[in-house]
Amino acid sequence: MKIRKDLLILSFMTMLLSFFIVKCFDNQRIGYDIGVTTSVRKIQELISQLKSLQEANSQLKEELKQKEVVLNKYEEEATGRIYRGEEIRAQLEQARILAGLTDLEGPGVEIILNDRKRDTIMPSELYSISDFIVHDIDLLEVVNELKAAGAEAIAINGTRILATSRISCGGPTITVGADQRFTPPFIIHAIGDPDALASYFKRPDSVYHVLTFYGLEFSIKKLDNVKIPRYYGDVNFNYARPVEGGE
Amino acid sequence: MLLPIIGILVGIILGLTLPIHIPTAYSPYMSIAVLAALDSVFGGIRASLEQKFEADAFISGFFGNAFLAAGLAYIGDRLDVPIYLAAIFAFGTRLFQNFATIRRHLLNRWRERAR
């Protein structure tokens, strides 16, 4: 019986060992430390994760749309029942547009902003490489000029610009809105008078001239119909609250 | 001889099913600990073939070596000296020696049976 006890202990230990070996393999399979080692396998893993997240995301959007249809129905019922319901509903719709919670379409422009192509840079040009790439400030100025020219809705790469949206530097990326990170090219859609929007960049002090001087790609296209998606996400007010009673 | 193989299979199944994850930061130490444990298991198999198996020595060696190896690797990381190489060297060498002895024993047994 002595040997049987040996084997029992041995097999228990081999069980422990193989458990930990499997766990070690496991760790290599699902890795998030992209900075330390970026193997092709890890990248593929991340790509498949991204894909599944995108699928989940689009499913959730679909769900949201269905819920909003239901909500719309309730609102319609409510407008008929309450005093001046139609007016309240119109105001609500207006507020939603203002808050960026509705898909919008209309005439406007499409601006494509991209870094300067590497092979067009002359060695004799005495500028640093930093002058040839799109910075957060450039994007911010373009958006600001669009607003000045009367744009009613703006989106960068499909991300709606809200009153609270930021455009800031994120290292090699530019952070737009709450947490969207983008790399060039930046496709900016704006709804407004196409002529007014496009001609605003013809002013001599427009950022357009600065960026094209450094050879950045900056194209403006007038479009009859620009679709701008709604903003997906929360806008929370943790500190600001309306003044009670008013003046 | 069947029991340890069942043990391996059970371990693999448990490893694949249990939702325990080792943080990636600790995985290098884990690898060293696994090497040490592997060495202990090979030693255990050898001892049991030689009829010299001691359960207490085996279990204490299994955990003791694993923790020592992982601890050395950790200290080495802190001190910026690759001490884990010592563990790899020591346990790696012993692993091969143990395997050679196991092979010898099994071959001898097989030859005797064939005779």
Side-chain angles (χ1 to χ4, degrees), chain A residues 151-218:
Chain A
E152 288 165 3
I154 302 169
I156 298 176
N157 286 5
T159 297
R160 181 72 171 269
I161 301 299
L162 301 184
T164 51
S165 293
R166 54 102 175 254
I167 296 170
S168 59
C169 184
T173 58
I174 295 179
T175 315
V176 175
D179 50 4
Q180 295 271 19
R181 289 165 174 275
F182 292 124
T183 52
F186 301 98
I187 301 169
I188 306 162
H189 285 113
I191 294 178
D193 177 8
D195 293 321
L197 292 178
S199 62
Y200 204 79
F201 291 95
K202 298 282 187 285
R203 294 173 311 122
D205 54 346
S206 165
V207 70
Y208 175 84
H209 299 296
V210 179
L211 295 181
T212 47
F213 171 75
Y214 285 108
L216 272 71
E217 192 187 323
F218 194 134

Side-chain angles (χ1 to χ4, degrees), chain A residues 75 78-92:
Chain A
E75 273 173 18
T79 41
R81 257 185 270 148
I82 53 177
Y83 174 61
R84 296 175 84 176
E86 282 298 331
E87 201 174 314
I88 291 170
R89 186 137 188 261
Q91 270 186 21
L92 184 64

